Structure formats: C-alpha cells, structure tokens
Amino acid sequence: MRKTWWKIVCIILLIYTVVGGFLFSVPAREILHETIRNLYFHVCMWMAMMVLFTTSVIYAIRYLRSQNLKDDIYSVNFAKVGIVFGVLGYATGTVWASYTWTEYATSTQIFKEPKLLGAAIALLVYFAYLVLRGSITDVDKKAKVSAVYSIFAYIMLFPSIWILPRLLESLHPGKEGNPALNFNDLDGRLRIVFYPAIIGWTLLGVWITSLKIRLDLLKNKNILHG
Amino acid sequence: MLLEIRQQYTFFGILLYVASTIFVLYMSMGQPEPAVWNGLFWMIQLFICVNAVAKSFLAESKGRILYFYSIAGSVDFILAKLLFNVLFMSIMSIISWILFIVLLGNPVNYAGRFLGINLLGGISLSLVFTFLSAIAARAQQNAVLMVIMGFPVIIPQLMLLMRISNVVFSDVLQGGLWEIVLLLTGLDMLVIILAVILFPFLWKD
C-alpha cells in the first residue's frame, strides 16, 4: 500500500482530466473554439515525454559512472516509453492541426512548419537510438555505447524542439516562451484541468515504465546476478 | 599525434571524388539558379563529409587502434581527430566552392560572408560526423548506422546553413543572421564538449 498511492492518484487525475476535459466550460477563442480541449492531451504528452527522457538520461549517466546493468535497463525503458509519448504527442497534434490550421494555411505551409520538423527530428534521433541498440550484440558494449548516444540524443533535443522552432516563423503558438505555462494566455478554467492533467499523464508514463523495467529485470535475472 | 593522422588519409582520392561529382552536376545542370545552387552546394558538402570524415574511425584497423591506445590518452586522441577533421573539411569546403565557381557560376554577392558561412558549415558537419563515427565504430554494420544516426542530427544544421547562406544571394540583409550563426557555433561547442567528456567511455575497450 505504501508504494501504490501514486498509482491511485494517477488514475484519479486521469479520470478527472478526461471527464473535466470534455465537460467543463472552456473559454471561446478565435479559430480554436472547442478544440482547445486538446490542450489537456497534446501538451501533456510532450511534457510527459520530456520528463521520461530526462529520467532516461539521468540513468544513462548513472550507468556510465557505475557500470551497473540495472541502470541501463532503467535508462532504455524510460527512453522507449518516452518515444511512445512523443508519437502520441505528434498524433494528437495532427488531429488538432487538422481542425485549426487547415482553415487558413496551405499544405506546403504546414509541411514546412518548423515545430513539426523539429519534433520529427527529435523522434528520429531517438529511433536511431533503438536501431543502435539493436545492432550491438554484446551486452556490456551495448549498454555503454547506447548510454553515450542517449546523452548525445538528449542534448540534441534542445536545439531541435526548444531553440530552433523559437527562432523561425511558425503557425504553432509559443514563439515567445512556453504558451501553456504563460499565465496571461491561459484562462483559469483551463488551468484547473491542465495542471492535474500534466501530473496524471506523467505518472501514467512512469507507471508503464516501471512495469516494463520489472519485466526486463526478471528476464535478465541471470545476467544481473552473475 | 596530428601528423600521424594526417599521413594516412587519401586526400587526393576525396579531391577526385569532389571534382568528379561537381563535374557531373555541371553536365546535368549547366548554370543553375541561386536557390538551386545553394541547395546543391550544401548537399555536396554533406556527401563529402559522409565519405571523408565519417570514415575516420571506421577505416582504422584493430591493430592501429591498439597502437594509438598505447601512445595517447583518449582526450588527446579525440581532440586530434576533431581538429584534423575540421581542418580537412575546411579545406574541402573551400576547394568545392572554387570548383562550383568555375563550373556552375558564382551567384554569391558577398564573398567574404559566404566564406565565413562555408567554413562554419564545414566545421559543424565535420564535428558531428567525427563524434558519431566514433560511436558507430563500436557497432556492427557501422556504415548504415552512421547514416541513420547522422541525418536527423544534420538536418537542422543544414536547414540553418541554407537559411543563412540565402543571405549572400540577395542584396537585402535579413535579420536574425547573427542569431543563427551564434546558435551554430554554440552547437559546435556543445559537440566538442560532449565528445571530450564521453569519448573516454567508448575508448576503454
């Protein structure tokens, strides 16, 4: 019971997010209208992804310091679930864009959209991480090389999703700082669902990861304990 | 250390490669528009880099790596490699620019500025590929891996480079040039720092 409280919190928050997200009143905005409810899903996915990738890179650094294979398993699973959240963030973003941008932007404008490209590149870098892991057979070498690469990949996230899109013209909001955290931009009615939603989705990500880690630890039991 | 690395390179092989590629381009394109010229130029740079710099770790034999391991520390080794590749790529960018001028015409209005951008681009590409090739050398099928790992990282860099090199074709000076130059330089510094910190882990084998 001691360790399960956060799972219960996660479930309650997510139920609240879905129910509140679809039923509570939202401010009426130009172009966005009711699609603003996607804020509770789309933005939260990216936030959860960042948290998972950050945890992954922390474990990668720990692995390089300790050479303990457990840290490698933690690191790779956080990265994998982070990728899933990234793909979901992309998917929810596509849905959102198809209801809003298509009203006034041409398709070439959308394809050249720097934020989309940046996010696609970030995900490709992480896919390359999985390919890299797949191509090395030796366990220790795999762990070492992929830890090095995952630090590199994490650093590459910053130019591709944080810095570069801020410099270029974009249809996507958020050129001047993070729009979701900007207090003037975000109505109180949105905030009471949005903040719990971030926590809920992140906890869900951590939960999935912890299950995957436990499975992997069991699979590799004979390697881990000599 | 540096001299040693310098000797083993087939400098003229790459030179021939550059010249023949640009000649083929000339045969097929003639004198292209500035925008096309720009795109072609950076593509050629990219392929020179993949062919020359990316090989720097992959081409080494096991015995030679062991030899380097015995005479030099890992940080010295990676710095030497980076420095050599940066020099190599700068020379290559200048040579390919000259060839472009001779064969494909010269739409550049501000030569000095383009030279700077050119060198910056060459340096950025070579740094990233040197580091990635050090990683890929540890894995099997490394040529394929090199491409898979390299291209997502290189795409934003190339996008930025093409953007700033568009400046030299028009007479109007666009804003944001220095921002991008700073960003690219920052990225380069980042790669150097990462390489120095992380390479020792790859080296111990």
Side-chain angles (χ1 to χ4, degrees):
Chain A
M1 197 56 211
R2 192 165 44 88
K3 281 186 177 173
T4 50
W5 63 269
W6 60 272
K7 294 175 183 170
I8 298 166
V9 171
C10 167
I11 294 171
I12 294 170
L13 284 178
L14 283 182
I15 291 172
Y16 170 71
T17 304
V18 173
V19 174
F22 284 118
L23 296 181
F24 287 2
S25 79
V26 289
R29 295 278 168 83
E30 195 97 359
I31 301 165
L32 286 173
H33 304 302
E34 292 290 312
T35 64
I36 202 165
R37 293 176 194 279
N38 203 352
L39 174 80
Y40 310 136
F41 304 96
H42 172 67
V43 184
C44 300
M45 292 299 160
W46 296 112
M47 301 255 178
M49 182 194 81
M50 275 317 290
V51 172
L52 292 170
F53 281 164
T54 310
T55 324
S56 163
V57 85
I58 289 168
Y59 275 107
I61 294 168
R62 276 186 59 170
Y63 173 75
L64 287 180
R65 294 171 70 95
S66 71
Q67 307 287 322
N68 182 353
L69 273 179
K70 250 185 199 170
D71 290 331
D72 178 55
I73 290 174
Y74 276 76
S75 166
V76 69
N77 281 314
F78 274 110
K80 276 180 184 166
V81 179
I83 291 171
V84 172
F85 272 83
V87 172
L88 285 176
Y90 217 91
T92 47
T94 323
V95 174
W96 203 351
S98 74
Y99 285 103
T100 49
W101 293 352
T102 44
E103 283 182 15
Y104 62 94
T106 58
S107 57
T108 38
Q109 241 177 328
I110 291 174
F111 285 128
K112 280 189 165 181
E113 174 57 40
K115 290 225 170 177
L116 292 190
L117 291 178
I121 288 162
L123 285 178
L124 275 178
V125 171
Y126 267 92
F127 283 138
Y129 169 71
L130 294 183
V131 173
L132 178 71
R133 281 189 72 86
S135 73
I136 307 175
T137 42
D138 183 80
V139 181
D140 286 311
K141 202 191 215 181
K142 179 199 275 185
K144 198 186 284 179
V145 173
S146 68
V148 169
Y149 183 75
S150 84
I151 295 170
F152 177 73
Y154 184 73
I155 303 286
M156 281 299 143
L157 277 182
F158 287 89
S160 65
I161 68 177
W162 295 108
I163 302 171
L164 188 56
R166 299 258 154 89
L167 289 179
L168 306 173
E169 292 299 313
S170 170
L171 299 168
H172 196 288
K175 195 162 179 280
E176 293 86 27
N178 196 326
L181 298 178
N182 188 342
F183 283 98
N184 304 325
D185 234 22
L186 205 58
D187 200 281
R189 280 171 288 173
L190 292 175
R191 256 182 273 155
I192 55 166
V193 181
F194 179 59
Y195 295 143
I198 298 177
I199 300 168
W201 287 114
T202 310
L203 283 179
L204 182 70
V206 176
W207 190 359
I208 297 173
T209 318
S210 70
L211 291 178
K212 277 177 68 68
I213 288 169
R214 274 159 68 187
L215 187 66
D216 267 12
L217 286 177
L218 282 177
K219 273 187 194 161
N220 295 312
K221 214 173 180 180
N222 50 343
I223 309 175
L224 289 172
H225 299 293
Chain B
M1 191 68 217
L2 263 176
L3 281 175
E4 221 160 22
I5 295 173
R6 209 168 281 169
Q7 283 163 3
Q8 69 194 12
Y9 275 92
T10 47
F11 181 80
F12 288 100
I14 299 291
L15 200 61
L16 205 64
Y17 170 82
V18 177
S20 55
T21 326
I22 296 175
F23 188 68
V24 170
L25 273 182
Y26 167 65
M27 298 302 272
S28 59
M29 304 286 298
Q31 309 254 319
E33 298 269 300
V36 179
W37 193 94
N38 189 16
L40 284 175
F41 183 77
W42 288 109
M43 278 300 118
I44 293 291
Q45 293 294 303
L46 177 63
F47 280 95
I48 295 169
C49 204
V50 170
N51 270 290
V53 176
K55 292 281 183 293
S56 65
F57 278 88
L58 308 184
E60 308 267 27
S61 67
K62 266 231 146 66
R64 182 173 257 137
I65 287 183
L66 201 65
Y67 171 61
F68 285 139
Y69 186 67
S70 63
I71 61 164
S74 55
V75 173
D76 294 337
F77 184 71
I78 189 73
L79 281 178
K81 278 273 191 200
L82 288 173
L83 192 56
F84 171 76
N85 280 328
V86 162
L87 286 176
F88 181 79
M89 211 37 219
S90 312
I91 296 167
M92 275 302 158
S93 340
I94 292 169
I95 290 175
S96 60
W97 186 27
I98 294 169
L99 283 171
F100 259 75
I101 292 175
V102 173
L103 291 174
L104 297 177
N106 185 17
V108 176
N109 288 334
Y110 301 94
R113 210 169 276 162
F114 189 73
L115 183 71
I117 293 170
N118 193 352
L119 287 179
L120 184 68
I123 291 168
S124 314
L125 289 177
S126 64
L127 286 175
V128 170
F129 272 107
T130 312
F131 181 55
L132 285 179
S133 107
I135 294 179
R138 295 267 149 247
Q140 283 96 34
Q141 304 147 346
N142 29 39
V144 183
L145 255 190
M146 189 68 233
V147 175
I148 295 174
M149 295 197 303
F151 279 74
V153 179
I154 249 22
I155 291 167
Q157 278 197 347
L158 277 180
M159 259 164 48
L160 289 178
L161 285 170
M162 284 184 191
R163 218 181 152 77
I164 51 174
S165 48
N166 268 331
V167 169
V168 299
F169 300 124
S170 58
D171 295 318
V172 195
L173 196 61
Q174 289 160 343
L177 171 69
W178 292 110
E179 254 176 21
I180 297 180
V181 170
L182 271 179
L183 186 68
L184 279 171
T185 331
L187 213 64
D188 291 352
M189 295 310 294
L190 204 72
V191 173
I192 295 175
I193 293 166
L194 272 180
V196 170
I197 294 172
L198 294 176
F199 187 69
F201 293 106
L202 293 171
W203 191 226
K204 280 181 256 163
D205 230 1

